[in-house]
Amino acid sequence: MTSAERMTRFSRFPWPVAGAVVAALCASAGAAVADPSGTIGWQSARAVAAQYCFSCHDAATRKAELDLEALFADPAGYPRVDSVLRDIVDLVDLEDMPPLDADVHPDLDQREVLIGWAGSELERLQAAQRDDPGKVVMPRLNRGEYARVIRDLTGKPIQSALLLPEEGGAGEGFANVGEAQPMTPGHIERYLAAADMTLRHLVATPEGWAWHRVVLEEPEDRTGVADNLFLMIRQWHMDESDRWRRALEDSIPARYAPEADPFRKDGFLADLEPSVGDRRLAMIAFLLDRARDVEPFPVTGGAVLTDRREAVLPDLLVRRVRGLLERPGEWSPPFYRHIAERWRALGAARDMPEGERVAAMKRLAELWYRPVRRIWQARFHPQYEVSFERGDRQDAVLESVESEGIWPFEIVLDGLEALHLTTARAGFPDSAVRVVWEAGEFEMGDGSVVSWDQAVADAAVIVGTAEPGEHAVIEATAGSVVRLELPVGAEVFRVRARLPEAERDAGAIVQVLVLDAVPQGDDLLYYPKRRPIIDNTSPHATAWVESLWSLRNAITSEINYSKSTIPMAGYLPESVGRVFGFDRDDDPAVDGLLDDEGNPRIARLLPEDLRGLSEVDRIAELDRLYGLLEGLAVASAEDPVDLEERARAQLTPFLEKAWRREASAEDLDGVMALFREMLAKGAPYDAAIKQSLKVVLVSPDFLYRLPAESVGATLVEATAPLAGRDLAERLSFALWASIPDATLLSLADMGRLNDPDVLAGEAERMLRDPRSLALAHEFAGRWFGFREFSGHSGPDEELFPEFTRSLAAAMEAEMVLFFDDLFRHDRSILRVLDGDETFVNAVLAEHYGLTGVSGSAMRPVALDGTGRRGIIGKGAFLVGNSLPMRTSPVQRGVWILEQVLGDHLPAPPADVPMLSDTERNEEGLSIPEQLALHRERASCASCHDKFDPFGIALENFDAIGRWRDVDSADEPVASTDVMPDGVEITGPAGLADYLMRRQDDFIENFCRKLVGYMLGRTVIAGDRDLIERMRAGLENHGYRPGAAVREIVRSRQFRFRRVPADGSPSATASIPEPPPLSDPSTDS
Amino acid sequence: MNRYSTPTSSLSRRAVLRGLGATLALPWLESLAPLTRLAAQPGGITTVPAGPPRRFATVLFANGVNVEHWWARGAGDAMELSPTLQSLAPFRRDMLVMNKLEYFGDTSGPHWPQFTNFLSGASLRRSTIPDAAESVDQMIARHVGRHTFVPSLNLGIEPVESGLRLGVPAIYYSTVSWSAKNNPIPPEIYPRAAYDRLFDVDGLLENKSVLDAVLSQTRRVRRNLDGHDRAKLEEFSEGVRSIEQRIARAAADERLEGWRPTLEKADMDRPPEERPQDYRDHMKIMLDLLVLALQMDRTRVVTLVMNNDVSRQKFDFIEGVRGQMHGISHHQNKADRLAMYQKVNAWHVEHLAYLMERMRSIDEGNGTLLDNTMLLFGSNMMDGDIHDGRELPLILAGGRNCEMRTGRVVTYEDPAERELCNLHLAIAQRMGCRVDRFGDSTMPLPNLT
């Protein structure tokens, strides 16, 4: 056999593209002439099978859970299962079956008889089921969908879905297969709990509702409602700061790598959709990045620079500063007025040479910058800590924090009786979260110093978890408060807080406060204006400090923040106190920044999660909150409103959005009954509304994707087109794992979705929308199994201390971003096989041996020349398929064969010889050497030959995914092996090349998985045409996944549904059988 | 938890009961007099004492045992115990070591055909849709669950994985409890959620009118559905109704048996929201919850999966043990690995000892909680190295008041007796289920009484 022939044989049977299938179909065509009923084919095939197959695959032995005897029992009676038929064609043709070590083997003719029969049976099956919508039982909201739907309903990232149980996979491996989703009482209880949790984020008043992203106390009365609103207003301000920080920390570098010129036409940002963004943030984003290497203030001479990007910049910056300064009368600090005047004078000095003028501006800017820096530092002075009220130790403290990661506190007690050591999380979801309070001592009135041992022993944990350690140390968890009784006569208390060693490299950021009063609920949240405690040696911390300084350099706090008292008077009892907000006030800066052409360009650079959150919306949100507060204050018992009317008006739109349909009077009456009942019992409005909402969130209309219209029972099973809203819902759950948006719904209501072109157009729009991130999580994440990799703890901790939680998190993020990029920007799916771009942050970059990446944020990088290509070079795959103490070429190889190429292997026998736990066995043999021995046994080789070479090629990546040239015994890594088809594979790059040669298999697998995911069911024989169309679509469109999605969306499978015959809900559980073959007894 | 706590929770019990009306009547009446009728049932049940109820708990660890060190000989105080079972020495009179039971009876093949069906004996085929059979704990819960606040409690330690694993739903590796042919029950791994499920009566009561409304809404929707969608909705309605029944019982809070649990109020704090990071802490809190649930009669059926099948759990905290559970179980007869395997087994057995100790210390009048509980402990395989499904390592702890004659080692040599489902059947009958068959049972397991 030539190697060309060998190659084609690797294109597996499923669809008629490979040589093997052509042969099979010819055989069946030939048989059809002489054997119109198929009986002869069946008889001869059965004879062959009986001779060679039944000894293992009969009812008694059922090897590989397969009973071929039953398949052949009756030419018409046994439901033909397409996967079994496919396996027959495939495995017999490849001579994988009967296995090498079988006693007897069929000859070529016999094999063709068997293949021919199975091939023609498969054809019959495919013809009978062609484009059958298949059995799709209405799915229930799974955990991921629930989270997204709640997000889309409330506009807030509410985490209530965490209370729901995880869904097992089914069908093609996904969590949205209705048939496999049980609904036990336990499930219903969890949905009740999730509804409770969701509703705790709501404040409802007759004037309106406000959703909030943190949990609120359930209000007892109007004051409680007001308290919550007040809290939300405060949170709004915190969010503003937070958003700013996030812009810095997370998103910008990812979208905005210094080495990538975003203005280049082919730059990776070039295809971002321009959108109306937040111009302030755009400006900040833009400046921050540029400011990094332009010290101290980003003004440099424009004329002398040649690089286009930089040539643009200084000009912008000069204009920005001009914009800021040339507004007369707006600068209240005299200092600014002074600078502004000088600047204006410079601007007016038209006869000054450009170089000189820029230099003068730069000097001026530096002059401006220095005091600004001082002000900025002062701003960072923690406002509420007791320890800093005294002021003069501030610099020493800052130094200690920055250089050693230790917070020293010194508190003059002034007659206080108790203090509260408070530990708060600083906002990073993955940051861990313990703090050690140590070296506490009291300075007594007589000047003596007393250790705090006794106080520690007596300390009381009021909130959260904390415990005394050895040597009078308190170990506290974020979210905890420890109350410390002060000894009589103590005048000064000193204590130090630091992160425990173990937390340091995890990128922990925690905030510590010493307070005199017991902090209330939300004081335990991280407050952005207070300084966090960080470990200065970690890259995480470096990035944090670095970016803060860049921020400071670019934007002065004075310009962008102003402290003000948030007006509460009249709404709140005095006891709630006053609150200071930090308002952003950089309008002058923004207005001076860019022209009409520049703004959209900047908007394109805006981090995606900030787009769509336009400034207008956020201000409107604040206005609305004030409005509610005002309404509450104005409303009084003497001024009765028709609460019921209000409630109905508020519940209707929510119910319609949640139930994805119009509300009937009956629907509303049912929900309103609870509201009435609650009010009658004297419950406040908020509680009554929530009781009604709970019904909305636990009703089947919310939890299930109910068909909007019944087609009515039919006598025989039939198909019917999906109604408009049903189709909209199917599409949005397929692409967003959530509910449709307004655009999609209005198209549905106009009946336009029935037009496949419109439907496909919508699919394209939705893929571009950030919500298509769901595909990375729910589709790719489950296909390739990297969901929750961030919690992976496989590698042995002693051998691989480098495998930290932040590294695992970065590896998962890499996968998510890679697939999100693939779908949202419609990039070739072949990148999965050999793509040489990926996403990393500093931690992962270092792990991969890449340089020039700093910060915790993920950003795109090129992998040229690293030998790391495609999914096979990604950490989550390499580590996830290693053993604690070594790599596993077998697991890696099997994974590639099954997950990437879609092949299926029989389960290995249990009693196979095992490889050693570590890289060398007792005889000193390496894993590849042990495998080679293993493969000398024919029964092992039949499978191992297919995947060992993959795993061996990847031996250059160690068990935690680092590149290596030598193994742990300092021997050069052997990463060359030969496939059964004679192709030699060397190293990861060689494997990527090889996989590209088998791209047909991968594409086939991709199509099957996508069909299974988007339809929520197993792929059936009748999907063959659809998959063929998808393949063709992919080939014609540069393998962009959008083409495959469009084919599915246009298909009958997607746009129709089966209507089962009445009264037989379960009789239709299996796929319809093909027209029966004629009865052999009447045929002869 | 700060719950809004005026109107609903201050409802009088009577009002709640009135509101429940017809849905309640049937099962409630049925439950009034089941015990007397039981006397006539086959299966050796003669009398059911009016004292404390019987309970059934399953505590299972996957991946088999080091065969050489799993044995017991002799009877009563003279019973000799292997090193692995050594920690059970104080309980020799309280346990029945059962040899040679099996439900898979094979050593070939992968893991999945012999774990999730431990309590059902179902024969599994490769399928991407969960497909097995109702497990015995759930069948018992269906019968006796109506007497308690929670019908059954299903606990686990390791999370359920999502997606498919080795070609079958990943949940096959995490649960042994199935409420129906296609309904595996994901175990609860969060202590707080389990605790709330057992004790959060107020939360449950608040849901009463919500569930009523949901049920009417469900009836309206149902008209519109056809075929299997309608069946799905039926499943949903049944679930809602069963919670409503629980609410009715919680509201009534009256014990018809005339017996009261020895503990009225939980003597354990509500656990923190997070999952304990340390496996050992997690295990302990789950065992404590198990005891508390049974002691307070919040449920009579508990299942705890100590380790998932093909477990990735590491046991590095045991001196001399390294690597993941599954890896250790494939010992290839190497001395060092066999030693680790044995240590892990012994660790699991120590937790059985802990459970027995706790349960034996609770006096329920006619005996201890242990005497009133049939506690099935063991693994789904014998030798994990060869996936040996024959002759499972099983111990039935406790149950002296449940017609179990403990303090013995029983070996089932007769292949006809050997079916594990025979044991399930015997237990189910002792729990009051009127059944004469379960799974592939051939008879109620003999030689227990």
Side-chain angles (χ1 to χ4, degrees):
Chain A
M1 186 175 287
T2 68
S3 64
E5 278 168 326
R6 283 173 173 276
M7 197 60 215
T8 54
R9 286 162 47 110
F10 265 100
S11 301
R12 293 168 45 80
F13 169 65
W15 323 117
V17 288
V21 181
V22 176
L25 296 181
C26 290
S28 79
V33 178
D35 180 19
S37 66
T39 315
I40 301 171
W42 167 74
Q43 281 169 341
S44 0
R46 187 182 190 286
V48 175
Q51 190 177 349
Y52 298 103
C53 312
F54 289 0
S55 61
C56 291
H57 302 295
D58 60 354
T61 318
R62 283 174 46 89
K63 204 155 182 185
E65 304 94 47
L66 177 63
D67 178 4
L68 279 182
E69 205 179 356
L71 181 76
F72 280 106
D74 167 353
Y78 191 83
R80 311 282 187 238
V81 181
D82 62 323
S83 61
V84 173
L85 293 168
R86 267 208 316 272
D87 279 350
I88 294 178
V89 174
D90 242 10
L91 298 176
V92 173
D93 180 64
L94 288 171
E95 295 180 60
D96 276 358
M97 277 292 148
L100 279 179
D101 58 353
D103 297 334
V104 284
H105 286 88
D107 63 23
L108 191 63
D109 289 345
Q110 288 173 314
R111 291 214 312 270
E112 291 209 339
V113 164
L114 200 54
I115 294 169
W117 173 80
S120 61
E121 279 301 293
L122 195 53
E123 273 209 320
R124 270 176 214 269
L125 197 61
Q126 285 160 351
Q129 296 178 352
R130 179 154 295 134
D131 292 339
D132 181 347
K135 183 185 178 190
V136 179
V137 180
M138 62 178 187
R140 150 172 79 62
L141 291 188
N142 64 33
R143 207 175 171 193
E145 289 167 347
Y146 191 95
R148 292 184 187 88
V149 171
I150 292 292
R151 175 201 67 194
D152 291 346
L153 282 174
T154 66
K156 302 287 172 193
I158 293 172
Q159 297 300 311
S160 48
L162 290 176
L163 293 172
L164 300 176
E166 179 59 271
E167 211 83 45
E172 299 299 320
F174 302 106
N176 58 359
V177 181
E179 193 182 358
Q181 292 177 318
M183 185 61 116
T184 63
H187 280 91
I188 296 169
E189 281 174 40
R190 294 334 249 336
Y191 281 115
L192 281 165
D196 274 331
M197 173 66 94
T198 307
L199 295 173
R200 256 175 246 149
H201 293 254
L202 171 69
V203 172
T205 74
E207 289 70 37
W209 294 357
W211 293 95
H212 194 40
R213 73 177 169 78
V214 299
V215 174
L216 298 165
E217 293 294 309
E218 306 254 341
E220 297 280 338
D221 50 22
R222 299 166 77 83
T223 315
V225 176
D227 280 354
N228 279 343
L229 283 171
F230 157 79
L231 218 121
M232 293 167 78
I233 288 169
R234 186 164 164 194
Q235 186 68 41
W236 184 91
H237 288 277
M238 288 167 67
D239 286 349
E240 283 295 288
S241 314
D242 200 41
R243 192 172 282 122
W244 202 17
R245 181 182 62 75
R246 272 196 302 124
L248 209 69
E249 265 294 303
D250 303 336
S251 311
I252 293 166
R255 300 287 161 198
Y256 207 148
E259 59 274 20
D261 180 352
F263 294 114
R264 249 169 53 197
K265 275 211 174 60
D266 57 346
F268 68 90
L269 289 166
D271 53 359
L272 286 183
E273 277 296 294
S275 78
V276 182
D278 176 345
R279 288 157 63 212
R280 289 180 185 182
L281 283 164
M283 180 198 71
I284 294 161
F286 185 84
L287 292 175
L288 282 182
D289 188 73
R290 295 313 179 208
R292 273 167 189 265
D293 40 27
V294 193
E295 284 283 323
F297 193 81
V299 177
T300 53
V304 293
L305 296 170
T306 49
D307 177 88
R308 188 163 65 91
R309 185 185 72 184
E310 291 188 334
V312 174
L313 254 180
D315 184 38
L316 287 175
L317 287 167
V318 168
R319 283 172 55 192
R320 169 190 177 271
V321 178
R322 274 184 191 163
L324 290 175
L325 296 177
E326 290 180 0
R327 286 167 177 257
E330 292 201 11
W331 308 105
S332 50
F335 177 76
Y336 289 146
R337 208 153 40 234
H338 173 65
I339 298 225
E341 276 160 14
R342 286 179 58 184
W343 187 279
R344 271 201 296 279
L346 274 177
R350 305 219 172 270
D351 50 348
M352 188 184 272
E354 184 63 18
E356 241 178 74
R357 179 159 59 172
V358 169
M361 284 180 164
K362 194 175 165 185
R363 276 197 305 279
L364 188 54
E366 280 169 13
L367 184 65
W368 186 22
Y369 161 75
R370 252 175 266 123
V372 162
R373 170 181 171 161
R374 241 194 351 260
I375 293 164
W376 183 84
Q377 279 186 338
R379 273 274 178 252
F380 242 74
H381 166 186
Q383 305 276 335
Y384 301 100
E385 281 88 340
V386 184
S387 59
F388 285 96
E389 292 305 325
R390 311 292 154 179
D392 52 2
R393 287 186 65 246
Q394 184 181 318
D395 288 344
V397 168
L398 288 178
E399 198 184 323
S400 159
V401 170
E402 294 198 354
S403 62
E404 298 166 53
I406 291 176
W407 264 101
F409 287 82
E410 178 174 304
I411 297 155
V412 178
L413 297 173
D414 260 359
L416 285 175
E417 286 172 10
L419 284 176
H420 299 86
L421 309 184
T422 304
T423 309
R425 203 182 292 265
F428 289 90
D430 65 337
S431 74
V433 290
R434 287 185 305 127
V435 150
V436 175
W437 297 89
E438 60 181 7
E441 55 183 19
F442 298 98
E443 203 176 292
M444 309 303 285
D446 60 8
S448 65
V449 172
V450 177
S451 152
W452 74 332
D453 293 18
Q454 191 54 45
V456 169
D458 296 337
V461 182
I462 302 183
V463 182
T465 320
E467 52 191 43
E470 289 175 14
H471 312 300
V473 155
I474 294 178
E475 293 205 37
T477 306
S480 69
V481 179
V482 177
R483 181 183 167 90
L484 211 59
E485 302 294 339
L486 307 173
V488 179
E491 289 199 350
V492 177
F493 172 55
R494 281 186 286 271
V495 70
R496 307 193 320 177
R498 65 169 171 83
L499 293 168
E501 292 301 325
E503 305 281 0
R504 289 199 158 200
D505 72 344
I509 298 193
V510 132
Q511 203 173 43
V512 290
L513 315 169
V514 177
L515 304 172
D516 57 352
V518 182
Q520 299 301 316
D522 124 285
D523 276 326
L524 280 175
L525 292 172
Y526 168 66
Y527 197 72
K529 298 311 290 181
R530 296 172 184 156
R531 194 176 181 82
I533 181 169
I534 50 184
D535 166 24
N536 235 38
T537 58
S538 81
H540 202 97
T542 317
W544 164 272
V545 171
E546 206 177 276
S547 47
L548 281 179
W549 280 97
S550 305
L551 171 66
R552 180 210 57 208
N553 289 346
I555 315 291
T556 71
S557 60
E558 192 67 1
I559 287 173
N560 294 288
Y561 270 120
S562 62
K563 184 176 164 187
S564 61
T565 310
I566 297 173
M568 290 288 162
Y571 310 141
L572 287 173
E574 192 59 33
S575 61
V576 177
R578 290 186 310 154
V579 66
F580 293 107
F582 297 89
D583 292 321
R584 293 260 311 283
D585 182 22
D586 52 2
D587 276 338
V590 175
D591 291 348
L593 177 62
L594 287 173
D595 51 21
D596 291 345
E597 193 190 324
N599 269 326
R601 199 161 58 177
I602 293 296
R604 277 176 30 179
L605 303 178
L606 195 61
E608 308 241 352
D609 66 332
L610 297 178
R611 272 204 257 148
L613 291 169
S614 78
E615 182 69 13
V616 174
D617 286 346
R618 293 209 306 279
I619 297 291
E621 172 70 10
L622 186 66
D623 284 348
R624 215 166 60 78
L625 291 173
Y626 276 122
L628 293 178
L629 204 57
E630 212 151 351
L632 202 66
V634 170
S636 69
E638 293 81 47
D639 177 22
V641 282
D642 187 342
L643 292 181
E644 201 167 309
E645 192 184 301
R646 292 275 174 94
R648 185 178 280 261
Q650 290 172 353
L651 284 166
T652 308
F654 186 88
L655 182 147
E656 293 190 334
K657 201 168 172 195
W659 289 5
R660 290 92 74 189
R661 62 179 173 82
E662 278 178 23
S664 69
E666 251 185 335
D667 292 331
L668 279 169
D669 290 345
V671 169
M672 282 299 296
L674 275 98
F675 176 81
R676 245 175 266 130
E677 188 187 312
M678 290 291 281
L679 273 199
K681 288 178 195 162
Y685 187 86
D686 184 83
I689 284 285
K690 286 177 181 172
Q691 192 80 343
S692 290
L693 279 177
K694 203 160 158 186
V695 176
V696 174
L697 295 180
V698 184
S699 282
D701 311 66
F702 177 67
L703 297 180
Y704 286 101
R705 281 192 250 159
L706 294 171
E709 287 170 32
S710 168
V711 182
T714 51
L715 284 175
V716 289
E717 191 163 271
T719 57
L722 282 171
R725 285 226 170 185
D726 287 345
L727 204 50
E729 189 170 284
R730 178 170 259 201
L731 186 61
S732 71
F733 274 95
L735 299 180
W736 290 347
S738 185
I739 51 178
D741 65 355
T743 313
L744 189 58
L745 280 182
S746 72
L747 286 172
D749 291 345
M750 287 188 288
R752 299 205 39 216
L753 290 186
N754 302 338
D755 178 347
D757 289 339
V758 175
L759 200 61
E762 277 300 280
E764 279 179 33
R765 172 183 74 85
M766 292 168 71
L767 282 173
R768 286 194 304 265
D769 188 285
R771 277 169 282 195
S772 67
L773 176 65
L775 287 169
H777 285 290
E778 301 287 329
F779 172 66
R782 285 182 197 270
W783 174 9
F784 293 115
F786 56 77
R787 281 165 46 89
E788 290 163 31
F789 182 81
S790 55
H792 185 78
S793 61
D796 188 85
E797 282 152 30
E798 278 174 43
L799 278 179
F800 300 106
E802 302 87 351
F803 188 76
T804 58
R805 278 203 292 165
S806 38
L807 182 59
M811 285 176 170
E812 182 179 332
E814 178 192 17
M815 284 288 205
V816 171
L817 288 172
F818 177 81
F819 282 102
D820 181 43
D821 183 59
L822 201 71
F823 281 106
R824 198 178 323 174
H825 303 132
D826 211 14
R827 308 200 195 278
S828 164
I829 57 170
L830 298 183
R831 287 184 178 216
V832 175
L833 302 183
D834 79 336
D836 55 6
E837 283 171 45
T838 195
F839 294 80
V840 296
N841 61 6
V843 176
L844 191 56
E846 195 192 336
H847 196 70
Y848 284 177
L850 302 166
T851 51
V853 178
S854 65
S856 63
M858 305 291 294
R859 73 202 59 185
V861 290
L863 290 167
D864 310 341
T866 61
R868 205 179 275 277
R869 278 159 65 191
I871 197 168
I872 55 168
K874 302 214 183 306
F877 152 67
L878 292 166
V879 183
N881 291 286
S882 290
L883 294 171
M885 289 179 270
R886 63 163 171 86
T887 63
S888 172
V890 173
Q891 280 187 29
R892 287 175 176 179
V894 169
W895 191 91
I896 291 171
L897 197 66
E898 294 198 325
Q899 306 306 323
V900 178
L901 299 177
D903 208 338
H904 296 285
L905 291 165
D911 56 349
V912 295
M914 294 283 285
L915 308 173
S916 58
D917 278 342
T918 47
E919 285 203 333
R920 302 273 157 171
N921 68 3
E922 284 143 13
E923 289 83 48
L925 295 180
S926 69
I927 295 294
E929 285 163 348
Q930 294 176 45
L931 276 173
L933 279 181
H934 190 66
R935 281 154 67 191
E936 282 175 6
R937 278 167 59 170
S939 64
C940 297
S942 65
C943 285
H944 277 264
D945 281 351
K946 292 186 205 163
F947 53 73
D948 281 0
F950 297 166
I952 285 169
L954 293 174
E955 277 295 274
N956 282 118
F957 296 120
D958 73 3
I960 55 171
R962 286 176 302 196
W963 184 272
R964 60 175 184 179
D965 293 312
V966 292
D967 67 14
S968 61
D970 259 350
E971 298 287 332
V973 166
S975 60
T976 301
D977 201 354
V978 182
M979 289 299 290
D981 56 8
V983 177
E984 188 179 278
I985 302 180
T986 300
L991 178 56
D993 290 339
Y994 178 83
L995 292 176
M996 282 301 281
R997 294 175 63 184
R998 286 183 65 179
Q999 56 173 269
D1000 279 352
D1001 289 347
F1002 167 70
I1003 291 166
E1004 168 73 32
N1005 192 29
F1006 172 83
C1007 292
R1008 289 181 69 91
K1009 291 283 180 188
L1010 194 63
V1011 167
Y1013 176 74
M1014 288 184 64
L1015 297 180
R1017 63 160 168 81
T1018 309
V1019 172
I1020 58 176
D1023 296 329
R1024 174 180 147 179
D1025 283 1
L1026 169 60
I1027 291 182
E1028 275 311 306
R1029 292 196 297 274
M1030 291 167 72
R1031 293 181 67 117
L1034 285 168
E1035 263 170 51
N1036 295 333
H1037 293 90
Y1039 301 101
R1040 292 170 183 266
V1045 169
R1046 288 194 298 272
E1047 286 300 339
I1048 294 181
V1049 162
R1050 287 169 175 277
S1051 73
R1052 197 163 165 280
Q1053 282 93 324
F1054 193 83
R1055 295 185 297 118
F1056 283 68
R1057 69 180 175 107
R1058 272 205 208 160
V1059 185
D1062 191 30
S1064 55
S1066 56
T1068 54
S1070 60
I1071 45 176
E1073 289 166 26
L1077 302 172
S1078 51
D1079 183 346
S1081 60
T1082 58
D1083 199 53
S1084 54
Chain B
M1 186 191 307
N2 227 324
R3 195 183 298 277
Y4 166 68
S5 63
T6 37
T8 5
S9 50
S10 65
L11 267 184
S12 77
R13 279 181 201 128
R14 230 160 262 293
V16 173
L17 280 175
R18 258 204 310 279
L20 272 173
T23 46
L24 188 72
L26 239 178
W28 194 249
L29 285 175
E30 201 178 72
S31 73
L32 281 175
L35 303 182
T36 43
R37 265 180 283 145
L38 269 175
Q41 290 300 309
I45 292 181
T46 45
T47 56
V48 177
R54 292 175 173 180
R55 284 82 143 202
F56 171 51
T58 309
V59 177
L60 183 73
F61 60 94
N63 302 296
V65 298
N66 176 328
V67 177
E68 193 191 341
H69 294 298
W70 182 283
W71 53 260
R73 301 187 196 103
D77 287 338
M79 190 188 288
E80 283 180 73
L81 295 171
S82 69
T84 301
L85 301 184
Q86 212 38 247
S87 56
L88 297 176
F91 308 100
R92 282 179 284 214
R93 283 168 170 277
D94 286 310
M95 62 190 206
L96 198 53
V97 178
M98 293 182 291
N99 294 328
K100 298 204 176 179
L101 292 180
E102 63 186 31
Y103 63 104
F104 185 71
D106 200 344
T107 71
S108 68
H111 272 261
W112 59 262
Q114 48 175 328
F115 177 74
T116 194
N117 45 354
F118 179 80
L119 288 180
S120 68
S123 171
L124 299 184
R125 314 180 67 130
R126 186 182 292 275
S127 160
T128 59
I129 304 284
D131 187 7
E134 186 183 38
S135 54
V136 71
D137 60 328
Q138 293 307 299
M139 184 186 75
I140 294 172
R142 207 153 41 78
H143 282 75
V144 306
R146 67 171 72 106
H147 299 294
T148 51
F149 186 58
V150 177
S152 75
L153 189 63
N154 301 89
L155 302 174
I157 313 273
E158 292 180 68
V160 179
E161 287 183 38
S162 63
L164 299 178
R165 195 169 168 194
L166 300 175
V168 294
I171 195 163
Y172 277 28
Y173 301 87
S174 310
T175 192
V176 292
S177 295
W178 291 62
S179 64
K181 188 173 169 359
N182 303 112
N183 288 2
I185 299 178
E188 182 56 68
I189 62 167
Y190 285 87
R192 167 170 290 189
Y195 184 93
D196 285 351
R197 187 165 154 74
L198 290 171
F199 301 114
D200 188 10
V201 179
D202 288 348
L204 198 59
L205 287 177
E206 271 179 23
N207 288 325
K208 158 84 183 71
S209 55
V210 170
L211 291 176
D212 280 348
V214 167
L215 214 49
S216 339
Q217 177 63 26
T218 309
R219 276 194 288 273
R220 269 200 294 282
V221 172
R222 188 175 178 277
R223 293 199 295 263
N224 260 344
L225 292 184
D226 19 55
H228 33 61
D229 289 349
R230 186 181 284 210
K232 272 278 157 201
L233 207 60
E234 205 42 60
E235 186 189 350
F236 176 76
S237 314
E238 273 168 33
V240 173
R241 275 193 291 269
S242 95
I243 300 176
E244 291 210 316
Q245 286 162 17
R246 278 181 54 205
I247 293 178
R249 287 196 296 280
D253 193 25
E254 282 163 24
R255 298 200 162 264
L256 298 166
E257 296 94 327
W259 170 84
R260 291 201 161 268
T262 52
L263 195 63
E264 291 283 334
K265 204 165 162 26
D267 58 356
M268 174 178 176
D269 289 337
R270 187 167 181 239
E273 195 171 345
E274 298 85 26
R275 187 148 58 94
Q277 297 216 340
D278 188 309
Y279 175 66
R280 287 166 292 179
D281 297 344
H282 199 172
M283 179 71 76
K284 170 146 186 318
I285 199 169
M286 290 320 227
L287 293 175
D288 289 343
L289 276 168
L290 184 157
V291 173
L292 195 60
L294 296 180
Q295 180 184 9
M296 293 181 65
D297 199 27
R298 305 306 277 188
T299 184
R300 293 175 191 173
V301 181
V302 184
T303 303
L304 168 65
V305 176
M306 297 174 110
N307 264 118
N308 287 356
D309 196 20
V310 199
S311 170
R312 300 198 165 113
Q313 181 62 48
K314 288 194 274 194
F315 287 83
D316 302 11
F317 50 81
I318 304 176
E319 181 73 31
V321 177
R322 250 180 130 183
Q324 298 165 332
M325 177 73 194
H326 178 233
I328 294 169
S329 73
H330 283 286
H331 51 75
Q332 303 175 276
N333 293 318
K334 287 191 178 144
D336 54 336
R337 290 221 218 168
L338 278 165
M340 289 192 213
Y341 199 19
Q342 188 272 330
K343 284 180 182 173
V344 175
N345 298 153
W347 187 88
H348 281 122
V349 172
E350 281 160 25
H351 285 78
L352 171 64
Y354 171 78
L355 262 188
M356 293 177 77
E357 174 64 47
R358 294 254 356 240
M359 291 169 74
R360 201 167 65 171
S361 69
I362 295 166
D363 184 356
E364 297 203 307
N366 71 337
T368 67
L369 175 59
L370 185 60
D371 295 331
N372 294 318
T373 303
M374 288 174 279
L375 173 56
L376 177 60
F377 175 86
S379 187
N380 63 319
M381 292 179 180
M382 194 65 183
D383 183 356
D385 191 31
I386 56 168
H387 298 178
D388 193 348
R390 300 166 304 185
E391 308 188 358
L392 298 174
L394 295 176
I395 293 174
L396 196 120
R400 272 208 249 191
N401 287 346
C402 312
E403 297 158 82
M404 291 288 177
R405 192 153 56 85
T406 51
R408 295 182 302 145
V409 178
V410 186
T411 301
Y412 292 94
E413 298 288 359
D414 180 354
E417 297 176 348
R418 198 173 276 172
E419 279 301 332
L420 183 61
C421 280
N422 292 346
L423 173 64
H424 297 336
L425 177 63
I427 289 174
Q429 290 178 341
R430 282 167 170 77
M431 289 297 293
C433 299
R434 280 154 283 164
V435 292
D436 52 14
R437 291 194 58 183
F438 177 79
D440 54 4
S441 70
T442 52
M443 63 181 84
L445 192 67
N447 198 8
L448 291 173
T449 309

